[in-house]
Amino acid sequence: VRDETGKEFTDISYEKSVGEGIAKITINRPERRNAFRPHTIKELIRAFNDARDDSSVGVIILTGKGTKGFCSGGDQALRSSDGYADFESFGRLNVLDLQVQIRRLPKPVIAMVAGYAVGGGHVLHMVCDLTIAADNAVFGQTGAKVGSFDAGYGSSIMSRLVGPKKAREMWFLSRFYNAYEAEKMGLVNVVVPLDKLEMETLKWCREILRNSPTAIRVLKSALNAVDDGHAGLQELGGNATLIFYGTEEANEGKKAYMERRRPDFAKFPRRP
Ligand code: 2NE
């Protein structure tokens, strides 16, 4: 799939399985263990927007090209005094926008991890709804080692996932954890042999796709609501409005306005 201007993606690939409801977004910089530059993130944001807007898509897989890396975070060669800079003279931390986008996206996003998920790449898998890990996966935060940190979701979500003590350990010591350690810590849902990774991920996708999209949409926003504060409540509340608009009661208000008459809500029950 090309981007909305018809151009080929350069830093990612984006595929949709016609008729199945699965989109797959792959970071395609394997020579850098799939480290991202600002351009990579811009392409990821476009692909995620497309998958969100495409009503035939029900689940999105985020992964990295090859078997050695899911994503190794920001491209350190492009790190500047104000973020990461590629084609522009100013730096960016647009990965933070991507994190918010994944978190608020009303469809499940599954991280399919082979190899390293470290630094900002580790944060990306954490903001996904589920993580399926290959047995060669390695997880960790390198920020304190390379003079960086993610004091947003990278800290708060981690603390929720693994607990406050373990989160401190991960950030303060910059250790790496293998797939089974990560599973024990609650960082990943399941570990499978590398050659079964894609098959297992598709199995999870298909199981999700058998279920009610609206139930899943509301559940995702409900599961995030407390942690995401006002933004979380807004997402959950938006779902309530979306569902309410489908009722006769809501429609009566709109119809009355359009017909320049008083709405008649008397016929609708005031439920206990
Ligand atoms: C990922 C890891 C552990 C892999 O090690 P290994 O031994 O398997 O591979 P190697 O040889 O280190 O890497 C292969 C090539 O990829 C490049 C390397 O420089 C190397 O290039 P060549 O020598 O072949 O030319 N590469 C890998 N990761 C890169 C990166 N992030 N940026 C640029 N080039 C990278 C090992 O490579 C590693 O530790 N990588 C660095 C991980 C890291 O520290 N990431 C940044 C954390 S900070 C961050 O992501 C961040 C943030 O904290 C806040 C906001 C936004 C971003």
Side-chain angles (χ1 to χ4, degrees):
V1 178
R2 292 158 185 259
D3 75 4
E4 70 282 2
T5 63
K7 276 197 310 228
E8 291 274 4
F9 288 116
T10 56
D11 289 18
I12 69 164
S13 63
Y14 177 41
E15 301 151 77
K16 291 193 259 190
S17 63
V18 180
E20 247 216 313
I22 303 170
K24 185 170 122 186
I25 302 173
T26 307
I27 304 173
N28 188 14
R29 303 188 78 221
E31 68 290 349
R32 295 242 169 281
R33 298 288 184 269
N34 295 315
F36 53 79
R37 53 180 178 166
H39 184 71
T40 318
I41 300 295
K42 285 182 194 167
E43 291 192 343
L44 286 168
I45 287 172
R46 275 188 220 129
F48 272 108
N49 267 334
D50 181 274
R52 177 187 176 134
D53 289 348
D54 185 338
S55 59
S56 73
V57 171
V59 186
I60 302 156
I61 299 170
L62 176 64
T63 192
K65 174 95 177 165
T67 57
K68 292 184 176 165
F70 167 76
C71 175
S72 63
D75 189 325
Q76 296 306 291
L78 299 173
R79 206 168 122 184
S80 59
S81 58
D82 56 354
Y84 294 83
D86 43 17
F87 308 118
E88 290 155 328
S89 54
F90 50 84
R92 281 172 188 261
L93 280 172
N94 56 354
V95 70
L96 306 182
D97 301 333
L98 174 65
Q99 293 170 7
V100 172
Q101 184 186 18
I102 293 173
R103 187 85 174 172
R104 301 199 65 165
L105 209 146
K107 301 173 182 181
V109 181
I110 303 183
M112 182 169 84
V113 178
Y116 289 99
V118 300
H122 186 257
V123 179
L124 278 183
H125 104 84
M126 286 197 297
V127 299
C128 291
D129 298 294
L130 300 161
T131 297
I132 315 290
D135 52 8
N136 78 334
V138 178
F139 299 85
Q141 295 297 161
T142 58
K145 210 158 58 181
V146 297
S148 180
F149 51 83
D150 184 332
Y153 275 144
S155 299
S156 59
I157 292 183
M158 184 196 287
S159 190
R160 280 279 192 227
L161 284 174
V162 303
K165 294 276 186 189
K166 209 71 187 169
R168 282 163 173 75
E169 176 187 314
M170 282 196 88
W171 273 107
F172 293 174
L173 279 67
S174 299
R175 278 188 190 163
F176 284 171
Y177 302 83
N178 68 35
Y180 296 103
E181 290 168 327
E183 186 183 29
K184 227 163 91 189
M185 286 156 68
L187 273 174
V188 310
N189 294 87
V190 71
V191 181
V192 295
L194 178 59
D195 62 346
K196 301 272 182 328
L197 179 63
E198 183 120 24
M199 224 167 59
E200 183 69 19
T201 307
L202 290 172
K203 188 168 157 250
W204 284 57
C205 289
R206 288 173 185 137
E207 278 186 52
I208 292 170
L209 287 164
R210 280 204 290 271
N211 292 332
S212 152
T214 305
I216 286 165
R217 178 188 183 105
V218 175
L219 282 167
K220 174 164 175 173
S221 63
L223 289 162
N224 290 341
V226 170
D227 288 343
D228 288 354
H230 284 281
L233 280 179
Q234 194 224 25
E235 187 66 29
L236 182 61
N239 283 326
T241 309
L242 181 154
I243 293 164
F244 182 53
Y245 270 25
T247 66
E248 212 191 312
E249 182 180 339
N251 204 32
E252 166 60 14
K254 184 198 88 172
K255 261 179 30 207
Y257 175 80
M258 296 306 289
E259 292 164 7
R260 312 277 190 272
R261 62 172 172 82
R262 279 169 90 122
D264 175 15
F265 288 121
K267 57 187 167 188
F268 300 106
R270 297 178 195 279
R271 297 179 198 281

